[in-house]
Amino acid sequence: MVGSPSRSDFSFSFLLALVWLSSTGPFVFGQSIRLRVDLTDAPRNIYHANLRIPAQPGAMTLVFPEWIPGNHRPSGPIAALTGIRMEAAGKAVVWQRDDVDMYAFHVVVPEGTQELSVSLDAITSADSAGGGGPAASSNLLDLNWNSVVLYPQGGASDAVEFVPSVKLPAGWKYGTALQPSNISGDEVEFAPVSLTNLVDSPLIAGKHYQRIDLTRGSETTAHHMDLVAETEADLAMKPEDLAAYRKLVAETGALFGARHYRHYDFLYTLSGEVGEHGLEHHESNDSAAAERTLLDPDVHMLYAALLPHEFAHSWNGKYRRPAGLATRNYQEPMVGDLLWVYEGLTEYLGNMLAERSGLWSAEQYREALALTAASLDYRRGRTWRPLEDTARSVQTLRMLGEQWSNWRRGLDYYPEGELIWLEVDSIIRQQTQGQRSLDDFCRRFHGGESGPPMVVPYQFDDVVHALNEIAPYQWASLLKERVGSTTARAPLGGIERDGWRLVYNDQPNLFTEAVGKIFKSADFSFSLGFSVAEDGKLQDVVVDSPAYRSGIGPGMKLIAVDGRKWTPAVLHAAIKAAQGTTAPIELLVENGQFFQTYPVSYHEGDRNPHLQRVDGQPDLLGVMLTPLTH
Ligand SMILES: [Zn+2]
């Protein structure tokens, strides 16, 4: 059922956790673990932490968070955990890692002691919460607390309390959803929080920092953007972007009708030195984009939907969460089968909110949608792997390379989830003659009573039930068909019901063009059948495409086209010249130390995806893209 359990149900599980904890192990429940993190070595990508864990004498097992919320997989950076030292009453205590569980540490707290002191270091050169790349640079840092904590094995994360504090590099300023209780120079202590709240509240800091108020009008809940960047110049937000982010906040209020946080912080890092990422939390999101995102219109367009996506997760993903992802602590495995709702619906809402708030124009929204639809329509792996299997396999699919991703499939529950929810929205609007929409579903499913963060888990049947309350339809069979299908074609029903069609022509798609400009790569997926990096490396080859049939594979390197050194312009010219002829395009390709010429038979010219209006059919997409606020 969809109705929200009351907030007291949440406290009930908290009480159960108390009973459990008080009956086991020497960890002293009711006292806080004091956690101090020294971040002054951040430019070298190592964080130093000390934990003071209240304990009674006896055997104890401490664990390092393994399953990280928002990552949906065992991405806790255990290999980066170093320098572990344990002490009691000033004397070293021997610890031993578990034989099988690499995240568990056994220790015996000696007689006559009441506290275990644990020192540890987190190496952050490969990030700390599942992104890619380092967590810190010379000028800024990102602290995910899961990388510097140990907690008693078996404890519910709601029931273990921490008093966290940090020492920042001299002069750096910070942003976090945590509330400071004491600030002294570069040292900040925060009010006590549960481990759940701590892991949910990352901290960013930097030399160049700006805090922006995003609250407007009658909004009573505080919203801020905390920006850090490599240089002061990167922080210069244009007035139209500021207005758009304020509108984004207002639009979510109108869309969901309730807020499940006390205050909200957009933690936004602009840097080419650290790993790009976006990680959702209840009261903040921790996102990192390119250094010139606020300055360069092309870069801005590529990242415009990032913050709307992560912000929408506060409702869809954090507050309402698939039961399989709502685990009791960070050692319990997660089940990802409903990620096409968690991520897919968020992808749909995030892109829609980017347009409604003015971060994207309607044309940019349509170009992004066309590229998504085309990419999925050319996804050959869909003939063997249903969408639901990509969600269930999140543990194995994340962070893999591009090679053969067209055949293997990747995290397709994001983009294909977007197409499915677009179709659901279209059907609701058509079934109710425009009286209702997915906006009404969001108000019912994600709205309710405003208040502090809480989790209301759901199952597949709850989603179906809520949809039927908005517009009766065969939702269960439609959704099961969509996520279980192994048909070759992508679900384009939403686009078609909305009065548009997916077409291909020789005009560049805005997004592939911007990516090409910025990253110097080129995308020929819908013509020859490959995408290629600046150095000629073939990122992926589409199975059954002309390039594939010629014998070319991903990982090989394109050297020359019809006898001339490869560049995107040379390849485009060759495709144009081959149009309407019968002669193959000759591609000289390097494979390790060996070279071979592959004749590719292709004569249909450049093909880039766009949406085109269908004459005489109402523009439902235009209605969907209309903002809810003024
Ligand atoms: Zn997401």
Side-chain angles (χ1 to χ4, degrees), residues 36-42 46-50 165-169:
R36 184 176 183 277
V37 186
D38 180 348
L39 297 166
T40 54
D41 258 345
I46 188 162
Y47 301 165
H48 312 289
N50 177 262
S165 63
V166 293
K167 181 170 198 240
L168 297 166

Side-chain angles (χ1 to χ4, degrees), residues 280 309-310 313 343 414:
E280 64 275 19
H309 176 106
E310 304 305 342
H313 266 317
E343 293 295 357
Y414 284 83

Side-chain angles (χ1 to χ4, degrees), residues 522-600:
D523 190 1
F524 299 91
S525 296
F526 313 112
S527 53
L528 297 171
F530 57 76
S531 52
V532 53
E534 185 180 15
D535 64 358
K537 191 173 172 197
L538 298 169
Q539 295 159 321
D540 198 15
V541 174
V542 177
V543 169
D544 286 339
S545 66
Y548 176 87
R549 285 195 295 269
S550 80
I552 289 173
M556 296 179 182
K557 209 168 160 184
L558 182 58
I559 303 296
V561 180
D562 289 337
R564 184 168 184 180
K565 189 179 176 211
W566 175 82
T567 67
V570 165
L571 191 45
H572 281 294
I575 288 173
K576 197 167 184 190
Q579 218 171 338
T581 73
T582 53
I585 300 169
E586 304 269 346
L587 300 184
L588 175 63
V589 169
E590 180 187 321
N591 187 14
Q593 294 184 21
F594 300 87
F595 294 80
Q596 189 175 331
T597 297
Y598 294 85
V600 179

Side-chain angles (χ1 to χ4, degrees), residues 27 49 200 232 254 273 348 417 456 477 485 515 564 626:
F27 175 70
D200 193 57
E232 204 66 25
E273 309 293 315
Y348 176 65
V456 183
S477 55
S485 160
V515 168
R564 184 168 184 180
T626 308

